[in-house]
PDB file of all heavy atoms in Angstrom:
ATOM      1  N   THR A 122       6.779   2.396 -14.617  1.00 93.00           N
ATOM      2  CA  THR A 122       5.407   2.720 -14.190  1.00 93.00           C
ATOM      3  C   THR A 122       5.355   4.194 -13.824  1.00 93.00           C
ATOM      4  O   THR A 122       5.999   4.622 -12.871  1.00 93.00           O
ATOM      5  CB  THR A 122       5.038   1.847 -12.978  1.00 93.00           C
ATOM      6  OG1 THR A 122       5.125   0.490 -13.392  1.00 93.00           O
ATOM      7  CG2 THR A 122       3.634   2.146 -12.489  1.00 93.00           C
ATOM      8  N   VAL A 123       4.598   4.958 -14.604  1.00 95.00           N
ATOM      9  CA  VAL A 123       4.551   6.409 -14.357  1.00 95.00           C
ATOM     10  C   VAL A 123       3.102   6.866 -14.207  1.00 95.00           C
ATOM     11  O   VAL A 123       2.208   6.370 -14.891  1.00 95.00           O
ATOM     12  CB  VAL A 123       5.224   7.197 -15.507  1.00 95.00           C
ATOM     13  CG1 VAL A 123       6.726   6.943 -15.517  1.00 95.00           C
ATOM     14  CG2 VAL A 123       4.628   6.853 -16.865  1.00 95.00           C
ATOM     15  N   PRO A 124       2.863   7.815 -13.309  1.00 94.00           N
ATOM     16  CA  PRO A 124       1.496   8.291 -13.074  1.00 94.00           C
ATOM     17  C   PRO A 124       0.859   8.883 -14.325  1.00 94.00           C
ATOM     18  O   PRO A 124       1.568   9.387 -15.206  1.00 94.00           O
ATOM     19  CB  PRO A 124       1.671   9.376 -12.019  1.00 94.00           C
ATOM     20  CG  PRO A 124       3.001   9.136 -11.411  1.00 94.00           C
ATOM     21  CD  PRO A 124       3.840   8.456 -12.435  1.00 94.00           C
ATOM     22  N   VAL A 125      -0.452   8.790 -14.370  1.00 96.00           N
ATOM     23  CA  VAL A 125      -1.190   9.343 -15.504  1.00 96.00           C
ATOM     24  C   VAL A 125      -0.783  10.800 -15.710  1.00 96.00           C
ATOM     25  O   VAL A 125      -0.718  11.576 -14.759  1.00 96.00           O
ATOM     26  CB  VAL A 125      -2.704   9.322 -15.224  1.00 96.00           C
ATOM     27  CG1 VAL A 125      -3.477   9.719 -16.471  1.00 96.00           C
ATOM     28  CG2 VAL A 125      -3.120   7.950 -14.762  1.00 96.00           C
ATOM     29  N   GLY A 126      -0.508  11.148 -16.943  1.00 96.00           N
ATOM     30  CA  GLY A 126      -0.130  12.524 -17.260  1.00 96.00           C
ATOM     31  C   GLY A 126       1.358  12.674 -17.522  1.00 96.00           C
ATOM     32  O   GLY A 126       1.809  13.685 -18.057  1.00 96.00           O
ATOM     33  N   THR A 127       2.146  11.639 -17.163  1.00 97.00           N
ATOM     34  CA  THR A 127       3.604  11.752 -17.325  1.00 97.00           C
ATOM     35  C   THR A 127       3.982  11.810 -18.807  1.00 97.00           C
ATOM     36  O   THR A 127       4.849  12.601 -19.210  1.00 97.00           O
ATOM     37  CB  THR A 127       4.321  10.573 -16.641  1.00 97.00           C
ATOM     38  OG1 THR A 127       3.899  10.516 -15.287  1.00 97.00           O
ATOM     39  CG2 THR A 127       5.830  10.735 -16.701  1.00 97.00           C
ATOM     40  N   GLY A 128       3.346  10.968 -19.621  1.00 97.00           N
ATOM     41  CA  GLY A 128       3.646  10.968 -21.062  1.00 97.00           C
ATOM     42  C   GLY A 128       3.432  12.350 -21.664  1.00 97.00           C
ATOM     43  O   GLY A 128       4.253  12.854 -22.433  1.00 97.00           O
ATOM     44  N   ARG A 129       2.326  12.961 -21.253  1.00 97.00           N
ATOM     45  CA  ARG A 129       2.000  14.313 -21.735  1.00 97.00           C
ATOM     46  C   ARG A 129       3.098  15.299 -21.311  1.00 97.00           C
ATOM     47  O   ARG A 129       3.540  16.133 -22.079  1.00 97.00           O
ATOM     48  CB  ARG A 129       0.647  14.695 -21.131  1.00 97.00           C
ATOM     49  CG  ARG A 129      -0.030  15.905 -21.685  1.00 97.00           C
ATOM     50  CD  ARG A 129      -0.632  15.722 -23.050  1.00 97.00           C
ATOM     51  NE  ARG A 129      -1.423  14.505 -23.175  1.00 97.00           N
ATOM     52  CZ  ARG A 129      -1.600  13.863 -24.332  1.00 97.00           C
ATOM     53  NH1 ARG A 129      -1.043  14.297 -25.447  1.00 97.00           N
ATOM     54  NH2 ARG A 129      -2.332  12.771 -24.379  1.00 97.00           N
ATOM     55  N   ARG A 130       3.559  15.171 -20.057  1.00 97.00           N
ATOM     56  CA  ARG A 130       4.625  16.071 -19.574  1.00 97.00           C
ATOM     57  C   ARG A 130       5.918  15.847 -20.333  1.00 97.00           C
ATOM     58  O   ARG A 130       6.641  16.792 -20.654  1.00 97.00           O
ATOM     59  CB  ARG A 130       4.875  15.832 -18.076  1.00 97.00           C
ATOM     60  CG  ARG A 130       3.804  16.439 -17.182  1.00 97.00           C
ATOM     61  CD  ARG A 130       4.044  16.074 -15.727  1.00 97.00           C
ATOM     62  NE  ARG A 130       5.303  16.586 -15.204  1.00 97.00           N
ATOM     63  CZ  ARG A 130       5.868  16.180 -14.063  1.00 97.00           C
ATOM     64  NH1 ARG A 130       5.287  15.239 -13.346  1.00 97.00           N
ATOM     65  NH2 ARG A 130       7.003  16.690 -13.647  1.00 97.00           N
ATOM     66  N   LEU A 131       6.198  14.580 -20.644  1.00 98.00           N
ATOM     67  CA  LEU A 131       7.427  14.291 -21.405  1.00 98.00           C
ATOM     68  C   LEU A 131       7.351  14.912 -22.795  1.00 98.00           C
ATOM     69  O   LEU A 131       8.331  15.483 -23.291  1.00 98.00           O
ATOM     70  CB  LEU A 131       7.644  12.770 -21.513  1.00 98.00           C
ATOM     71  CG  LEU A 131       8.080  12.064 -20.234  1.00 98.00           C
ATOM     72  CD1 LEU A 131       8.115  10.552 -20.443  1.00 98.00           C
ATOM     73  CD2 LEU A 131       9.454  12.550 -19.775  1.00 98.00           C
ATOM     74  N   ALA A 132       6.192  14.816 -23.418  1.00 98.00           N
ATOM     75  CA  ALA A 132       6.034  15.378 -24.770  1.00 98.00           C
ATOM     76  C   ALA A 132       6.295  16.888 -24.732  1.00 98.00           C
ATOM     77  O   ALA A 132       6.974  17.432 -25.603  1.00 98.00           O
ATOM     78  CB  ALA A 132       4.629  15.078 -25.296  1.00 98.00           C
ATOM     79  N   ARG A 133       5.791  17.543 -23.674  1.00 98.00           N
ATOM     80  CA  ARG A 133       6.016  18.997 -23.539  1.00 98.00           C
ATOM     81  C   ARG A 133       7.498  19.295 -23.360  1.00 98.00           C
ATOM     82  O   ARG A 133       8.042  20.220 -23.952  1.00 98.00           O
ATOM     83  CB  ARG A 133       5.249  19.546 -22.326  1.00 98.00           C
ATOM     84  CG  ARG A 133       3.815  19.972 -22.648  1.00 98.00           C
ATOM     85  CD  ARG A 133       3.306  21.003 -21.643  1.00 98.00           C
ATOM     86  NE  ARG A 133       3.336  20.517 -20.263  1.00 98.00           N
ATOM     87  CZ  ARG A 133       2.382  19.758 -19.718  1.00 98.00           C
ATOM     88  NH1 ARG A 133       1.317  19.410 -20.431  1.00 98.00           N
ATOM     89  NH2 ARG A 133       2.464  19.362 -18.475  1.00 98.00           N
ATOM     90  N   LEU A 134       8.137  18.477 -22.531  1.00 98.00           N
ATOM     91  CA  LEU A 134       9.579  18.655 -22.284  1.00 98.00           C
ATOM     92  C   LEU A 134      10.365  18.541 -23.587  1.00 98.00           C
ATOM     93  O   LEU A 134      11.253  19.356 -23.892  1.00 98.00           O
ATOM     94  CB  LEU A 134      10.063  17.595 -21.292  1.00 98.00           C
ATOM     95  CG  LEU A 134      11.553  17.617 -20.965  1.00 98.00           C
ATOM     96  CD1 LEU A 134      11.799  18.441 -19.717  1.00 98.00           C
ATOM     97  CD2 LEU A 134      12.087  16.202 -20.758  1.00 98.00           C
ATOM     98  N   PHE A 135      10.024  17.522 -24.393  1.00 98.00           N
ATOM     99  CA  PHE A 135      10.751  17.323 -25.660  1.00 98.00           C
ATOM    100  C   PHE A 135      10.519  18.501 -26.609  1.00 98.00           C
ATOM    101  O   PHE A 135      11.435  18.943 -27.297  1.00 98.00           O
ATOM    102  CB  PHE A 135      10.332  16.009 -26.335  1.00 98.00           C
ATOM    103  CG  PHE A 135      10.829  14.783 -25.596  1.00 98.00           C
ATOM    104  CD1 PHE A 135      10.007  13.673 -25.414  1.00 98.00           C
ATOM    105  CD2 PHE A 135      12.119  14.737 -25.091  1.00 98.00           C
ATOM    106  CE1 PHE A 135      10.464  12.554 -24.735  1.00 98.00           C
ATOM    107  CE2 PHE A 135      12.591  13.618 -24.410  1.00 98.00           C
ATOM    108  CZ  PHE A 135      11.748  12.530 -24.236  1.00 98.00           C
ATOM    109  N   ARG A 136       9.280  19.001 -26.644  1.00 97.00           N
ATOM    110  CA  ARG A 136       9.002  20.141 -27.542  1.00 97.00           C
ATOM    111  C   ARG A 136       9.809  21.366 -27.116  1.00 97.00           C
ATOM    112  O   ARG A 136      10.305  22.118 -27.938  1.00 97.00           O
ATOM    113  CB  ARG A 136       7.500  20.484 -27.522  1.00 97.00           C
ATOM    114  CG  ARG A 136       6.690  19.644 -28.524  1.00 97.00           C
ATOM    115  CD  ARG A 136       5.348  20.290 -28.826  1.00 97.00           C
ATOM    116  NE  ARG A 136       4.538  20.442 -27.625  1.00 97.00           N
ATOM    117  CZ  ARG A 136       3.782  19.480 -27.098  1.00 97.00           C
ATOM    118  NH1 ARG A 136       3.710  18.299 -27.690  1.00 97.00           N
ATOM    119  NH2 ARG A 136       3.076  19.695 -26.006  1.00 97.00           N
ATOM    120  N   ARG A 137       9.945  21.517 -25.780  1.00 98.00           N
ATOM    121  CA  ARG A 137      10.665  22.693 -25.267  1.00 98.00           C
ATOM    122  C   ARG A 137      12.172  22.556 -25.529  1.00 98.00           C
ATOM    123  O   ARG A 137      12.821  23.487 -26.000  1.00 98.00           O
ATOM    124  CB  ARG A 137      10.406  22.831 -23.765  1.00 98.00           C
ATOM    125  CG  ARG A 137      11.082  24.013 -23.092  1.00 98.00           C
ATOM    126  CD  ARG A 137      10.434  24.321 -21.740  1.00 98.00           C
ATOM    127  NE  ARG A 137      10.484  23.192 -20.812  1.00 98.00           N
ATOM    128  CZ  ARG A 137      11.582  22.817 -20.126  1.00 98.00           C
ATOM    129  NH1 ARG A 137      12.701  23.493 -20.269  1.00 98.00           N
ATOM    130  NH2 ARG A 137      11.539  21.791 -19.327  1.00 98.00           N
ATOM    131  N   LEU A 138      12.720  21.353 -25.230  1.00 98.00           N
ATOM    132  CA  LEU A 138      14.173  21.191 -25.354  1.00 98.00           C
ATOM    133  C   LEU A 138      14.630  21.016 -26.800  1.00 98.00           C
ATOM    134  O   LEU A 138      15.738  21.389 -27.146  1.00 98.00           O
ATOM    135  CB  LEU A 138      14.650  19.992 -24.519  1.00 98.00           C
ATOM    136  CG  LEU A 138      14.479  20.094 -23.004  1.00 98.00           C
ATOM    137  CD1 LEU A 138      14.982  18.831 -22.325  1.00 98.00           C
ATOM    138  CD2 LEU A 138      15.229  21.313 -22.442  1.00 98.00           C
ATOM    139  N   ARG A 139      13.778  20.401 -27.613  1.00 98.00           N
ATOM    140  CA  ARG A 139      14.173  20.130 -28.991  1.00 98.00           C
ATOM    141  C   ARG A 139      13.077  20.521 -29.976  1.00 98.00           C
ATOM    142  O   ARG A 139      12.461  19.662 -30.630  1.00 98.00           O
ATOM    143  CB  ARG A 139      14.502  18.628 -29.151  1.00 98.00           C
ATOM    144  CG  ARG A 139      15.737  18.173 -28.409  1.00 98.00           C
ATOM    145  CD  ARG A 139      17.001  18.935 -28.807  1.00 98.00           C
ATOM    146  NE  ARG A 139      17.333  18.776 -30.203  1.00 98.00           N
ATOM    147  CZ  ARG A 139      18.102  17.780 -30.681  1.00 98.00           C
ATOM    148  NH1 ARG A 139      18.625  16.898 -29.872  1.00 98.00           N
ATOM    149  NH2 ARG A 139      18.365  17.716 -31.967  1.00 98.00           N
ATOM    150  N   PRO A 140      12.845  21.848 -30.106  1.00 97.00           N
ATOM    151  CA  PRO A 140      11.812  22.281 -31.062  1.00 97.00           C
ATOM    152  C   PRO A 140      12.178  21.917 -32.498  1.00 97.00           C
ATOM    153  O   PRO A 140      11.310  21.879 -33.374  1.00 97.00           O
ATOM    154  CB  PRO A 140      11.781  23.809 -30.866  1.00 97.00           C
ATOM    155  CG  PRO A 140      13.018  24.169 -30.121  1.00 97.00           C
ATOM    156  CD  PRO A 140      13.480  22.967 -29.392  1.00 97.00           C
ATOM    157  N   ASP A 141      13.463  21.593 -32.717  1.00 97.00           N
ATOM    158  CA  ASP A 141      13.943  21.260 -34.062  1.00 97.00           C
ATOM    159  C   ASP A 141      13.615  19.827 -34.476  1.00 97.00           C
ATOM    160  O   ASP A 141      13.791  19.457 -35.635  1.00 97.00           O
ATOM    161  CB  ASP A 141      15.474  21.432 -34.099  1.00 97.00           C
ATOM    162  CG  ASP A 141      16.167  20.560 -33.043  1.00 97.00           C
ATOM    163  OD1 ASP A 141      15.697  20.548 -31.881  1.00 97.00           O
ATOM    164  OD2 ASP A 141      17.157  19.880 -33.380  1.00 97.00           O
ATOM    165  N   LEU A 142      13.184  18.989 -33.510  1.00 97.00           N
ATOM    166  CA  LEU A 142      13.092  17.554 -33.781  1.00 97.00           C
ATOM    167  C   LEU A 142      11.716  17.017 -33.399  1.00 97.00           C
ATOM    168  O   LEU A 142      11.175  17.378 -32.356  1.00 97.00           O
ATOM    169  CB  LEU A 142      14.147  16.855 -32.911  1.00 97.00           C
ATOM    170  CG  LEU A 142      14.831  15.610 -33.446  1.00 97.00           C
ATOM    171  CD1 LEU A 142      15.519  15.902 -34.772  1.00 97.00           C
ATOM    172  CD2 LEU A 142      15.876  15.130 -32.441  1.00 97.00           C
ATOM    173  N   ALA A 143      11.153  16.119 -34.236  1.00 96.00           N
ATOM    174  CA  ALA A 143       9.861  15.497 -33.889  1.00 96.00           C
ATOM    175  C   ALA A 143      10.144  14.300 -32.973  1.00 96.00           C
ATOM    176  O   ALA A 143      10.586  13.247 -33.439  1.00 96.00           O
ATOM    177  CB  ALA A 143       9.154  15.039 -35.157  1.00 96.00           C
ATOM    178  N   ILE A 144       9.932  14.506 -31.684  1.00 97.00           N
ATOM    179  CA  ILE A 144      10.108  13.388 -30.746  1.00 97.00           C
ATOM    180  C   ILE A 144       8.724  12.943 -30.296  1.00 97.00           C
ATOM    181  O   ILE A 144       7.977  13.694 -29.684  1.00 97.00           O
ATOM    182  CB  ILE A 144      10.974  13.785 -29.527  1.00 97.00           C
ATOM    183  CG1 ILE A 144      12.330  14.346 -29.992  1.00 97.00           C
ATOM    184  CG2 ILE A 144      11.176  12.587 -28.606  1.00 97.00           C
ATOM    185  CD1 ILE A 144      13.256  14.783 -28.869  1.00 97.00           C
ATOM    186  N   ASP A 145       8.407  11.713 -30.633  1.00 98.00           N
ATOM    187  CA  ASP A 145       7.095  11.148 -30.352  1.00 98.00           C
ATOM    188  C   ASP A 145       7.168  10.410 -29.012  1.00 98.00           C
ATOM    189  O   ASP A 145       8.200   9.832 -28.673  1.00 98.00           O
ATOM    190  CB  ASP A 145       6.787  10.169 -31.502  1.00 98.00           C
ATOM    191  CG  ASP A 145       5.313   9.919 -31.642  1.00 98.00           C
ATOM    192  OD1 ASP A 145       4.548  10.385 -30.797  1.00 98.00           O
ATOM    193  OD2 ASP A 145       4.941   9.245 -32.637  1.00 98.00           O
ATOM    194  N   VAL A 146       6.066  10.403 -28.272  1.00 98.00           N
ATOM    195  CA  VAL A 146       6.056   9.739 -26.967  1.00 98.00           C
ATOM    196  C   VAL A 146       5.000   8.633 -26.957  1.00 98.00           C
ATOM    197  O   VAL A 146       3.930   8.787 -27.547  1.00 98.00           O
ATOM    198  CB  VAL A 146       5.755  10.774 -25.852  1.00 98.00           C
ATOM    199  CG1 VAL A 146       5.532  10.095 -24.513  1.00 98.00           C
ATOM    200  CG2 VAL A 146       6.899  11.775 -25.731  1.00 98.00           C
TER     201      VAL A 146
END
Side-chain angles (χ1 to χ4, degrees):
T122 300
V123 292
V125 188
T127 305
R129 192 74 47 207
R130 284 175 62 194
L131 288 174
R133 272 204 302 277
L134 178 94
F135 290 138
R136 274 199 300 277
R137 180 162 59 77
L138 295 179
R139 292 302 299 271
D141 58 314
L142 213 57
I144 305 179
D145 202 353
V146 172

